[in-house]
Amino acid sequence: MKYKFLEHTADIMFEAYGSSLNELFQNSGLATEETMVNLKQIKPVIKKEIKLENKTLEGLLYDFLAELIFLKDAELLLFSKIKASVKKQKEHYFLKAELSGEKLTKNHEQKVDVKAVTWHKFKIENLKDNIKATVILDI
């Protein structure tokens, strides 16, 4: 399972999974995108690269998801393919993400308008077989 949406009273809550940090970031990004639009309609015609760094892994994931929301708001870009590479060097985490998608048009089935990522219940956990992120998106 890549991700699943959970019950939440006012916002969107999901858990994303991965067998590696790379996969966890990819699936968290796709869950965020899926919250906003039907991903099956987004063709991978525009390529974008994101490079981020943060002192904490949670901070890096938060910044990545916030950047996806920013790209939707500022450039009307949504992505259906995400390739992430997460590395730790000394005391910082680094992300390089290659995104593929297209500009949002009125032909796309929009779901909800995500305003921001929240820190409420935000966490990354190591499980037996994989890694799990819990995220709430403000809508």
Side-chain angles (χ1 to χ4, degrees):
M1 176 175 9
K2 293 182 178 187
Y3 53 85
K4 68 178 180 180
F5 293 95
L6 305 172
E7 294 272 331
H8 194 273
T9 53
D11 294 317
I12 301 292
M13 183 176 186
F14 67 83
E15 289 177 347
Y17 305 89
S19 59
S20 67
L21 287 175
N22 297 346
E23 194 173 277
L24 179 71
F25 273 66
Q26 289 163 190
N27 293 337
S28 296
L30 290 172
T32 300
E33 297 287 335
E34 181 74 38
T35 300
M36 299 184 278
V37 70
N38 180 348
L39 281 188
K40 293 176 185 164
Q41 296 178 337
I42 302 297
K43 296 180 179 85
V45 294
I46 296 174
K47 307 263 188 233
K48 190 96 171 166
E49 185 177 274
I50 295 174
K51 291 182 180 179
L52 299 169
E53 86 174 76
N54 199 296
K55 288 182 179 180
T56 68
L57 193 56
E58 287 83 0
L60 188 65
L61 180 59
Y62 181 97
D63 290 348
F64 173 56
L65 301 180
E67 184 71 15
L68 293 176
I69 295 165
F70 171 78
L71 289 170
K72 181 261 308 173
D73 289 340
E75 300 179 29
L76 296 177
L77 288 175
L78 292 163
F79 304 98
S80 57
K81 300 221 180 299
I82 298 172
K83 183 179 177 191
S85 175
V86 179
K87 294 185 173 147
K88 184 176 183 182
Q89 292 179 342
K90 297 185 182 179
E91 295 183 15
H92 282 85
Y93 289 92
F94 295 86
L95 169 70
K96 179 181 173 186
E98 297 170 6
L99 314 170
S100 300
E102 67 179 323
K103 284 205 176 242
L104 178 65
T105 69
K106 57 185 166 193
N107 296 328
H108 294 114
E109 177 191 333
Q110 294 182 57
K111 294 181 178 179
V112 296
D113 185 32
V114 176
K115 297 176 193 168
V117 184
T118 71
W119 280 108
H120 182 66
K121 296 189 178 184
F122 192 99
K123 65 183 168 183
I124 295 175
E125 301 173 86
N126 285 308
L127 305 175
K128 237 183 212 182
D129 299 333
N130 59 17
I131 309 164
K132 175 178 86 170
T134 304
V135 177
I136 296 178
L137 302 172
D138 182 29
I139 57 173

